[in-house]
Amino acid sequence: MLKNRRPDIGFIPTEPEMIQAAFALANITPSDVIYDLGCGDGRVAISAALQFGTQAVGIDIDPQRIKEAQENALQAKVSNLVEFRLDDLFTCNFSEATVVFLYLLPHLNLKLKPQLLQQLKPNSRIVSRDFDMGDWLPEKSIMIATAEEECRLYLWHIPGNLSTGH
């Protein structure tokens, strides 16, 4: 039951420069639908809506983070473009996404990988901050440094030859 599930990891905000680098890496366009799995305070989804006018969905298991994200979307005046859902990443549906942003731990990325491959349509993009997907090699990875920290961003495209009916 969702009420009894605790977050798998703590909330660590992603710096604006890293969000911009992730958007550039994924080649975001206004027609994309962005999903931020483990959205925290909503900054990735809100930034996508503000910058590109895209529809964006943030999913988090922490009710406090969802409340903050909704308040932040209201303040940014993008509530018409952004939705935040209190849900479990490992049981939710994100099949409408064309871009998925992750900032999870390695074992959580690996746990989520089958769902990503099953639910996402061919050519959908996945950007992960700091952690890869084991033996699924990224198409590209870049280092980003800010005054505060350094991170690596990874990019994958969902292949078109999966036997999922997509």
Side-chain angles (χ1 to χ4, degrees), residues 8-9 103-110 131-132:
D8 292 299
I9 59 173
Y103 185 22
L104 305 172
L105 295 172
H107 72 283
L108 299 174
N109 278 4
L110 291 176
F131 304 111
D132 65 14

Side-chain angles (χ1 to χ4, degrees), residues 23 28 32-36 44-45 48 54-58 97-99 101:
F23 290 168
I28 303 293
D32 279 314
V33 178
I34 314 293
Y35 269 62
D36 184 5
V44 171
T54 61
Q55 294 288 318
V57 177
T98 58
V99 177
F101 181 79

Side-chain angles (χ1 to χ4, degrees), residues 40-123:
D41 65 2
R43 63 184 60 205
V44 171
I46 291 167
S47 294
L50 283 170
Q51 187 170 343
F52 300 100
T54 61
Q55 294 288 318
V57 177
I59 298 173
D60 207 292
I61 201 164
D62 185 336
Q64 182 58 40
R65 295 284 90 80
I66 292 296
K67 183 175 185 259
E68 282 176 38
Q70 290 168 336
E71 290 169 359
N72 291 339
L74 277 171
Q75 198 169 40
K77 297 179 175 37
V78 292
S79 294
N80 60 321
L81 294 172
V82 178
E83 175 188 353
F84 294 102
R85 299 178 190 161
L86 181 63
D87 208 344
D88 183 335
L89 309 179
F90 302 106
T91 61
C92 70
N93 183 327
F94 45 80
S95 60
E96 71 174 349
T98 58
V99 177
V100 172
F101 181 79
L102 306 172
Y103 185 22
L104 305 172
L105 295 172
H107 72 283
L108 299 174
N109 278 4
L110 291 176
K111 183 178 175 182
L112 194 59
K113 180 181 158 187
Q115 250 179 291
L116 292 165
L117 289 168
Q118 180 184 30
Q119 289 191 33
L120 296 176
K121 295 171 192 70
N123 296 316

